[in-house]
Amino acid sequence: MPTDPTPSSKSAPAASEDARSTSRRHLLRYGLAAGAATAIGGVGGRVLAANLLGAPAPIGAAIDAQFPLCLTAADGTAPTGPLRPLKLAWNASAICTASAPIAKETGIFARHGLDVEFVNFGSSTEQLLEAIATGKADAGIGMALRWLKPLEQGFDVKITAGVHGGCLRLLGNAEAGITSVAALKGKTIAVSDQASPGKNFFSIYLAEHGIDPFNDVEWRQYPLEALPLAIDKGEAHALADADPRTWIWIKASKGKLVELATNLSEKYVDRTCCIIGVRGSLIRDEKPVATALTRAILEGAHKAGTDPELAARVFSGYGGKGSEEDLVAMLKSQDHHHSPVGADLKRQIALYADELKLVQVFKPATNTARFAEKVYADVLS
């Protein structure tokens, strides 16, 4: 992973007094002002509280109306005191996590009083969540369908927001006649591992379309980069994985690979796929820090939606695969305009848990509504 560049030192124009008054009204509306002023101590805490209380106005009326919980900090003045250091676990090769480097490179983290260090975590999800729970990292961004099963086991990590939707794709071999989901019956699907988000999601999707994911298809595991090779060799008829690879593979195949479904298909059109997880003790002891981090990441996510060209440049700068032109098109095909929180996110977590029961990933006895309440933490109200 490349060394994390420091945010630009150029100062953005200061917000007008009217804009600051508007912003304060928004903060009071969501109960952040009191929490920021009282719940965090020390010099860094006072700087963070000042940043929250004096935050600039929202990105604009349309964005503020669509995302009332997400205030922008990127256009305000930089803080004058020390920043609160935090470690954020992420996957530098996943475009799903582009909101984090966007928040870093555009100064959003700094303007929320945070100095965020990235930890590129490539090992198992259980180890990543354990790292967050034990304080080796403070938070992370990851796939809901990768995280929910380990969270069922009781890690002290709480979900604070959904980030975006639509980065999983199921691709079929058009040359073998696999141009629809129905054509997959009796066929082999290549996956990178048997607990991957792609396998989990499309197992659910197939089951809901009348295909038994245990008996009607075979899920065969290959090294990640070898998934399209399995199709070329005739060992698999389809593959399931995530962007940016799936998008790049479709383009490189010149029509051989076709998209059969994504995790935005049909009823999943507004379902989040990537989530923010925060160390439970950080939320309990320094909730305004968790609030600031969550807001900053959401602002980065919304910038990915409103300025995909910026997002593509930033992601490329961190070693992300794909040309900037492809990355822009990829981002536009995803959903970076809907970041669920509150009751909406809890509903989605419970739905995922119910669906994971359907494919025997979650325990049948798990109370999914209670599970959603347990793993979600409201840091924005």
Side-chain angles (χ1 to χ4, degrees):
M1 175 180 169
T3 303
D4 297 338
T6 55
S8 170
S9 59
K10 294 179 182 178
S11 297
S16 68
E17 195 59 40
D18 288 344
R20 291 183 183 277
S21 298
T22 301
S23 181
R24 291 189 185 96
R25 287 196 294 273
H26 277 270
L27 287 164
L28 289 169
R29 175 183 174 188
Y30 296 113
L32 289 177
T38 62
I40 190 166
V43 175
R46 289 194 291 275
V47 170
L48 178 60
N51 291 339
L52 289 170
L53 289 166
I59 293 174
I63 297 298
D64 185 48
Q66 190 173 5
F67 306 114
L69 290 172
C70 190
L71 309 180
T72 184
D75 298 325
T77 56
T80 56
L83 305 179
R84 171 66 160 84
L86 286 175
K87 289 186 177 181
L88 181 71
W90 75 319
N91 182 345
S93 67
I95 198 165
C96 326
T97 59
S99 54
I102 290 170
K104 190 177 184 79
E105 295 306 312
T106 61
I108 294 173
F109 280 142
R111 289 178 178 88
H112 272 289
L114 304 175
D115 177 15
V116 175
E117 174 188 350
F118 293 154
V119 180
N120 189 16
F121 213 97
S123 54
S124 74
T125 300
E126 288 79 4
Q127 289 176 314
L128 185 151
L129 291 172
E130 182 180 6
I132 298 174
T134 58
K136 295 173 185 173
D138 298 292
I141 304 175
M143 301 284 288
L145 284 172
R146 177 74 83 174
W147 283 28
L148 292 183
K149 178 60 180 178
L151 288 178
E152 187 190 25
Q153 311 306 311
F155 285 101
D156 187 22
V157 176
K158 304 296 182 185
I159 300 168
T160 61
V163 180
H164 84 103
C167 55
L168 296 175
R169 300 181 196 272
L170 178 63
L171 311 183
N173 180 0
E175 292 180 359
I178 311 301
T179 57
S180 68
V181 170
L184 287 171
K185 194 165 186 177
K187 300 299 190 291
T188 298
I189 304 172
V191 291
S192 59
D193 73 77
Q194 296 294 342
S196 70
K199 191 214 169 176
N200 283 341
F201 179 80
F202 291 111
S203 291
I204 294 166
Y205 190 83
L206 293 183
E208 291 178 339
H209 286 74
I211 297 176
D212 185 332
F214 301 102
N215 300 308
D216 289 343
V217 297
E218 178 186 356
W219 301 92
R220 191 174 295 173
Q221 185 171 330
Y222 293 89
L224 179 56
E225 298 296 343
L227 296 186
L229 296 177
I231 290 179
D232 289 340
K233 292 179 178 180
E235 296 177 10
H237 305 90
L239 67 84
D241 207 79
D243 290 340
R245 287 178 178 85
T246 47
W247 182 277
I248 294 169
W249 290 337
I250 292 174
K251 184 175 180 180
S253 76
K254 299 184 187 223
K256 180 175 182 177
L257 292 177
V258 294
E259 184 178 282
L260 306 181
T262 78
N263 56 339
L264 290 179
S265 294
E266 300 162 23
K267 72 176 187 179
Y268 297 97
V269 64
D270 66 348
R271 190 82 67 90
T272 192
C273 63
C274 295
I275 53 178
I276 303 169
V278 179
R279 174 164 49 88
S281 58
L282 180 68
I283 294 171
R284 292 188 294 273
D285 300 339
E286 298 180 273
K287 184 178 176 182
V289 176
T291 299
L293 178 65
T294 300
R295 283 193 181 281
I297 292 172
L298 292 183
E299 288 171 22
H302 300 151
K303 275 191 176 291
T306 57
D307 192 350
E309 290 80 10
L310 167 68
R313 289 196 301 273
V314 171
F315 181 66
S316 293
Y318 277 76
K321 291 190 173 185
S323 69
E324 287 190 15
E325 180 183 4
D326 283 344
L327 292 172
V328 169
M330 191 185 307
L331 288 161
K332 288 180 177 179
S333 79
Q334 299 169 356
D335 180 10
H336 294 270
H337 299 280
H338 181 219
S339 299
V341 295
D344 187 16
L345 181 55
K346 285 190 285 186
R347 176 187 63 84
Q348 293 195 22
I349 292 170
L351 284 172
Y352 270 141
D354 282 329
E355 291 155 357
L356 288 169
K357 281 186 180 183
L358 180 67
V359 293
Q360 301 177 20
V361 173
F362 258 43
K363 300 172 185 175
T366 297
N367 183 314
T368 55
R370 193 175 302 155
F371 169 76
E373 288 285 349
K374 179 181 178 182
V375 300
Y376 173 72
D378 181 1
V379 299
L380 297 177
S381 63

